[in-house]
Amino acid sequence: MSTLSAGILLFLIMDPLGNIPLFLSILKNVAPERRRLVLIRELLIALVVLFVFLFGGKYLLSALQLKAESVSIAGGIVLFLIGIRMIFPPKDGIFGGDIDSEPFIVPMAIPAVAGPSTMAAVMLLANSNPGRTVDWSIALFLAWLATSVLLVSSTYLYRWLGHSVLVALERLMGMLLVALSVQMFLDGAVAYVRLAG
């Protein structure tokens, strides 16, 4: 997988367009002068968490005695389910009702940006080709940066594009994620069959 492909995959998993309505809903109860600060703080926390999983994921996999093939297959299944939820979103949104207080870590940093699927994806990248940690770091940073730009400008995007266009874009991203998840699953299955044979 190229650095660009990895960056696109991580960007799709982070789902910034799908998170815009969620973030606007959470931030509406935060004082207007603090909204941008809170958003940037949560995005930075998410970035730190993802880099911890990128660099420490191989040790976690080793401790749990998990092979890269099993993580690839499991990651494909999880991404498939996330993609399906993006295409057919639940009625109450990902986290249900509104949040009244200022968010801290949950749910904006984790799991909205640095969710289980993103953590699994960065661990899989690091474990599949450990010699390319710099490439994966660049891919992760670029995906996070693109996500951050979209989420920081979420108010303008929501006004400019409108709810229906954002929903359509999220469903398109869901379709792409489903296709990528199937490929990840197949890659893991083929690698497992080769290893077993």
Side-chain angles (χ1 to χ4, degrees):
M1 182 181 284
S2 69
T3 305
L4 180 61
S5 301
I8 291 170
L9 173 67
L10 292 172
F11 175 77
L12 289 173
I13 299 169
M14 288 180 195
D15 188 23
L17 293 174
N19 280 328
I20 286 175
L22 169 72
F23 276 42
L24 290 176
S25 171
I26 292 169
L27 290 173
K28 74 181 179 189
N29 296 315
V30 176
E33 64 275 8
R34 283 193 53 80
R35 283 179 192 162
R36 189 166 293 242
L37 179 68
V38 168
L39 181 54
I40 291 169
R41 181 192 69 203
E42 297 301 302
L43 288 166
L44 288 171
I45 290 170
L47 181 65
V48 169
V49 168
L50 290 173
F51 267 110
V52 166
F53 273 84
L54 179 66
F55 288 105
K58 61 183 175 184
Y59 303 110
L60 180 62
L61 292 177
S62 175
L64 296 173
Q65 297 182 348
L66 292 172
K67 290 185 169 48
E69 296 80 17
S70 59
V71 175
S72 181
I73 292 169
I77 293 168
V78 170
L79 293 185
F80 181 82
L81 295 173
I82 297 273
I84 292 296
R85 284 174 68 88
M86 286 168 70
I87 299 167
F88 307 105
K91 229 178 200 180
D92 299 332
I94 299 169
F95 302 107
D98 292 336
I99 293 168
D100 296 326
S101 58
E102 181 179 300
F104 182 66
I105 301 177
V106 178
M108 290 173 71
I110 303 169
V113 177
S117 50
T118 319
M119 294 174 192
V122 295
M123 280 198 305
L124 177 63
L125 287 171
N127 201 55
S128 63
N129 205 329
R132 296 182 61 197
T133 308
V134 173
D135 292 341
W136 307 143
S137 299
I138 292 168
L140 173 57
F141 181 75
L142 291 177
W144 173 84
L145 186 63
T147 298
S148 299
V149 167
L150 286 173
L151 290 173
V152 168
S153 56
S154 56
T155 308
Y156 309 107
L157 279 173
Y158 197 79
R159 280 192 213 135
W160 182 53
L161 294 175
H163 181 70
S164 56
V165 174
L166 284 173
V167 167
L169 286 172
E170 183 186 11
R171 290 186 180 165
L172 176 63
M173 289 172 73
M175 288 292 293
L176 292 171
L177 193 55
V178 164
L180 284 166
S181 70
V182 170
Q183 187 61 54
M184 187 184 285
F185 179 87
L186 292 174
D187 289 346
V190 167
Y192 180 77
V193 169
R194 280 184 190 153
L195 191 68

